[in-house]
Amino acid sequence: MVRDKNIAIKTAELLLQIKAIKLQPQEPFTWASGWKSPIYCDNRVTLSHPVIRNFLKEQLAVQIEALYGKPDVIAGVATGAIGIGMLVADYLSLPFIYVRPEAKKHGRQNQIEGHLEEGQTVVVIEDLISTGKSSLNAVDALKESGAEVKGMLALFSYGFSFAIENFKTHDLELTTLSDYDHLIEQARQSGHFKVEEIELLKSWRKDPSTWNV
């Protein structure tokens, strides 16, 4: 869910500006899953742009406080959200931890890195929501460790219907600074894309697994 349309449009504009998001409706990308896609998103690029990363961390922090007050801990999902999660935690003067996809096979065999006490409240930070599975896997790990997960905030979401259902099933509130709908609106307003290209972008999300096959 996007809470602020203006912030959503601004975030989409910035992500496009620094090519953290690339749109190529006429020359689609191929994802690791094999899907053809007119969009490729790598929000780690934001870390290389101080003004933009500061804008993003501040907006995430403002929305966290508006939704949940101050949690005990901020958690980032490895690896994409470690950087932005740490920036948010620092801005709020809160402890930071991060969650691996699975426990390490060596050493202390941690899945959660950092100090987390049972019963502490946690807000999770993600850089990108696709299916939501990896994000919710991190939430499950936190809950199994005794944390109270208040919610998740992310920079961007594709807004897939199956991802929305995954979050509903987990009864977890997801808030994003921007999403695919606002990205398309920004792309349309920019005038850099033809009408037929905007229609191609819209059609992709309806059935991404078979689009352009």
Side-chain angles (χ1 to χ4, degrees):
M1 177 185 76
V2 166
R3 297 185 73 244
D4 187 316
K5 177 180 175 63
N6 292 330
I7 294 299
I9 292 292
K10 180 64 175 178
T11 299
E13 178 187 3
L14 294 174
L15 295 178
L16 285 168
Q17 176 186 314
I18 62 173
K19 295 183 171 56
I21 290 180
K22 294 182 180 180
L23 294 175
Q24 295 181 187
Q26 302 290 6
E27 299 178 32
F29 301 95
T30 301
W31 286 4
S33 61
W35 288 4
K36 296 293 184 181
S37 170
I39 180 173
Y40 191 83
C41 183
D42 181 4
N43 287 331
R44 287 168 292 196
V45 173
T46 62
L47 300 176
S48 298
H49 299 268
V51 173
I52 291 173
R53 77 183 183 214
N54 286 339
F55 170 82
L56 297 173
K57 80 174 180 187
E58 289 170 15
Q59 293 306 319
L60 287 170
V62 165
Q63 295 197 23
I64 286 171
E65 290 193 301
L67 288 165
Y68 309 112
K70 272 200 175 182
D72 296 318
V73 179
I74 297 294
V77 180
T79 59
I82 292 176
I84 191 66
M86 179 63 228
L87 289 170
V88 171
D90 186 61
Y91 186 82
L92 292 171
S93 297
L94 291 173
F96 177 73
I97 61 176
Y98 70 87
V99 188
R100 299 175 180 275
E102 58 184 17
K104 290 192 298 184
K105 298 294 191 291
H106 59 279
R108 296 166 61 195
Q109 300 182 335
N110 291 338
Q111 183 172 3
I112 298 171
E113 298 289 359
H115 182 70
L116 177 67
E117 296 181 6
E118 186 172 352
Q120 285 189 307
T121 57
V122 178
V123 170
V124 182
I125 301 295
E126 258 289 21
D127 64 325
L128 172 67
I129 304 294
S130 181
T131 65
K133 289 183 178 179
S134 60
S135 308
L136 291 167
N137 176 61
V139 170
D140 289 341
L142 290 165
K143 288 182 176 179
E144 288 168 9
S145 294
E148 179 187 347
V149 180
K150 306 295 287 184
M152 180 180 294
L153 282 87
L155 296 178
F156 187 81
S157 169
Y158 294 124
F160 294 138
S161 58
F162 45 83
I164 293 169
E165 286 304 313
N166 284 338
F167 277 88
K168 284 183 180 177
T169 300
H170 274 70
D171 192 26
L172 185 74
E173 184 176 37
L174 171 66
T175 303
T176 63
L177 291 190
S178 192
D179 59 15
Y180 196 71
D181 288 334
H182 290 87
L183 177 74
I184 298 305
E185 176 63 16
Q186 172 57 28
R188 186 188 65 77
Q189 290 180 13
S190 73
H192 295 156
F193 296 91
K194 299 176 183 176
V195 173
E196 57 268 29
E197 290 177 318
I198 295 295
E199 291 306 311
L200 271 176
L201 290 168
K202 288 180 178 178
S203 69
W204 169 72
R205 198 179 57 184
K206 294 176 183 176
D207 192 0
S209 63
T210 62
W211 184 82
N212 201 42
V213 173

